[in-house]
Amino acid sequence: DSEYLNNFFPGFNWDYQSVRDANIYDFTDTINWLIKKDIFVIRTGKVAKRKLKIKSKYLVDYPFCKNQNDLLDIWLMANCNLVISTATGFPESSYAYKVPIIYVNYVPLGQVHSWKKSLAIGKHLIWEESNTHLNLSEYIKLHNCFKVQDYKNLKIRIKDLSSEELLATVKDGYNYFIEGKS
């Protein structure tokens, strides 16, 4: 979410780039699936709008921890097994440590880094007039659309991935990157 920008750069309206935001509650099923596999989940970030409603010894909601440390942030990205990200912010640093990344709600999809050990799925982009999804060619041509207004000008509606789609994507990425199954 944009809470980091709002907190550290106050007085500026960051809504124009909310195209990159995601609702943390949409990840509840995914987090619960990982926890049931006894996988330790750490939600990263300095600040966030919403606290997770999941209680588990396998979950750390780091934006709401009192003892944060910038060096620990780097250590986490270097020593984790997998990163799930919307492709913005600090989790991108995990690439330097060759940690696989699952990008979800990635916009614009044309900016996906094919040289990384990664899996990417974008948000739904829907033509307002016909109520049909953009095809892959149309989707990729939007590689310079980083702002909400860019999509409004093109009459494209943006819809986040559903909880079920997020879970299916993470399961696929986990099976491939961690379990070695294709």
Side-chain angles (χ1 to χ4, degrees):
D1 60 42
S2 298
E3 195 63 19
Y4 174 85
L5 295 171
N6 292 332
N7 194 350
F8 289 95
F9 304 97
F12 188 81
N13 183 353
W14 294 102
D15 289 345
Y16 76 91
Q17 69 168 23
S18 63
V19 68
R20 303 181 324 182
D21 292 354
N23 182 344
I24 191 62
Y25 298 141
D26 290 344
F27 291 83
T28 300
D29 291 341
T30 300
I31 294 167
N32 282 325
W33 179 78
L34 292 165
I35 288 170
K36 284 178 186 167
K37 294 179 78 57
D38 293 334
I39 295 169
F40 204 75
V41 176
I42 302 172
R43 176 195 186 189
T44 59
K46 286 202 176 295
V47 294
K49 286 182 185 175
R50 298 179 184 107
K51 191 172 187 172
L52 286 164
K53 297 176 181 177
I54 301 168
K55 301 292 181 208
S56 172
K57 66 180 182 178
Y58 291 103
L59 174 67
V60 174
D61 201 357
Y62 192 69
F64 299 95
C65 292
K66 292 178 184 170
N67 297 321
Q68 293 184 3
N69 182 297
D70 290 342
L71 192 53
L72 179 58
D73 294 344
I74 295 167
W75 185 90
L76 287 170
M77 291 299 110
N79 291 283
C80 64
N81 295 317
L82 182 66
V83 170
I84 302 166
S85 175
T86 59
T88 59
F90 189 71
E92 280 293 287
S93 66
S94 63
Y95 169 66
Y97 303 101
K98 297 182 180 171
V99 174
I101 304 172
I102 300 173
Y103 295 115
V104 293
N105 284 320
Y106 195 112
V107 177
L109 194 59
Q111 292 287 323
V112 168
H113 304 148
S114 60
W115 61 87
K116 292 182 182 178
K117 194 174 184 181
S118 64
L119 169 67
I121 184 168
K123 291 186 179 202
H124 295 278
L125 298 182
I126 303 162
W127 292 112
E128 289 178 1
E129 189 174 296
S130 63
N131 201 34
T132 58
H133 281 81
L134 278 68
N135 64 37
L136 182 59
S137 178
E138 293 168 330
Y139 205 123
I140 290 174
K141 287 178 184 174
L142 301 174
H143 61 88
N144 288 325
C145 291
F146 294 98
K147 300 175 184 173
V148 171
Q149 194 60 46
D150 295 337
Y151 294 92
K152 286 182 180 179
N153 291 344
L154 293 168
K155 298 186 180 351
I156 296 171
R157 184 168 39 97
I158 304 166
K159 182 180 170 210
D160 287 359
L161 296 170
S162 69
S163 178
E164 295 81 12
E165 291 167 321
L166 292 168
L167 177 58
T169 302
V170 170
K171 281 182 177 181
D172 283 348
Y174 179 86
N175 286 333
Y176 181 75
F177 294 124
I178 305 301
E179 298 289 333
K181 300 174 187 172
S182 50

